[in-house]
Amino acid sequence: MAGPLIPASTADGATAPEDRSGPARILPGAGRAAWLVARRLGMLALLLAAVFAAIEVLPGDAAQATSERGESAADVAVRRAALGLDRPVTERFRDWMSGLPTGDLGTTAHGQPVTTVLSGPFPNTLLLGSLALALSITGALALGSWATLRPGGRVDRAVAAASTAAFALPEFVVSVALLLVFSQWTGWLPAVTLTGPDGAPASWDMLVLPLLALAIPQIGWNTRIVRGAFADQADLPHVQAAILDGLPRHRILTHHMLPGALPAIAVSTATSAGMLVGGAVVVETLFNYPGIGAVLAGALTDRDTPLVAGVVAVTGAAISTLLLLADLIRDRILGTHR
């Protein structure tokens, strides 16, 4: 049975070209991991700075957006001062960032702690996003493997066409189609999400349509990545040797091609997480799902910078963690030390 390629210098017992034993092997890996963490934190800080700057250039501010009807300009000015909007944006950003290490995400324009506002809807979004991500990867692996086992055939072409079409469809188009078919025409699933006493969806069937609306485009995206990664592996010598040895196709796929394809699949998974967060804003609004998508939409309307930044910080931290894991998996498998 053919296995993964082994460098000739190692296989025949000759001295390896580079000594990576002991601390020389551990320190570069630890340094690489520390650098990756620092890079992700730096990117998240830049993203948060961009959020503050973007809201600053929008017309109006939180004091005007949340003002009551008939409120005087003097009253708005008093609230603006109370919210600290009369200070430079750089100063407000610095103060907000200083609270991050302690978990303080600031106060909303309505006077509530941001962490309190997010504590209810964030678990709902985390549940929906996690299920959608799991369904996306499972579906993509199944479809990509199915197509790989029949290269160039009808199944391969059909999977390629379907995955391209699925990825090209925006979430709101998928949502409307699902609503028409499964709610309006058949009545099988509810069109909106009702909230129970605990703030979560009242029943499991209310999760199905939002879950499918989020997952279908990502299944299309990840299927193309999985199929392409397997295609790259198919031409490698150890895979060709396994084919010549007459191993079953499913064993070649799982034992010889999948390990080499994992770095690309890991990066694709992390990228999907970011796309799911973007799609969640639309899907949660259409299905009245009690997640942070609706919170973010309301915060943008109110020009509520701390709340928008809080949503970005929480979701950005989750996505950065996935991206970091993808980087570590890729480095672990490829053995690169950049």
Side-chain angles (χ1 to χ4, degrees), residues 120-121 123-125 127-128 131 190 192-208 210 287-291:
N124 295 332
T125 294
L127 172 65
L128 181 63
L131 291 175
V192 297
T193 306
L194 301 180
T195 305
D198 57 351
S203 62
W204 67 268
D205 58 348
M206 296 177 181
L207 275 170
V208 176
F287 290 96
N288 193 37
Y289 187 84

Side-chain angles (χ1 to χ4, degrees), residues 281-301:
V281 176
V282 176
V283 171
E284 290 180 359
T285 302
L286 284 173
F287 290 96
N288 193 37
Y289 187 84
I292 60 173
V295 174
L296 180 60
L300 287 171
T301 302

Side-chain angles (χ1 to χ4, degrees), residues 22-38:
R25 179 177 182 179
I26 297 173
L27 290 177
R32 167 71 175 162
W35 182 83
L36 287 173
V37 171

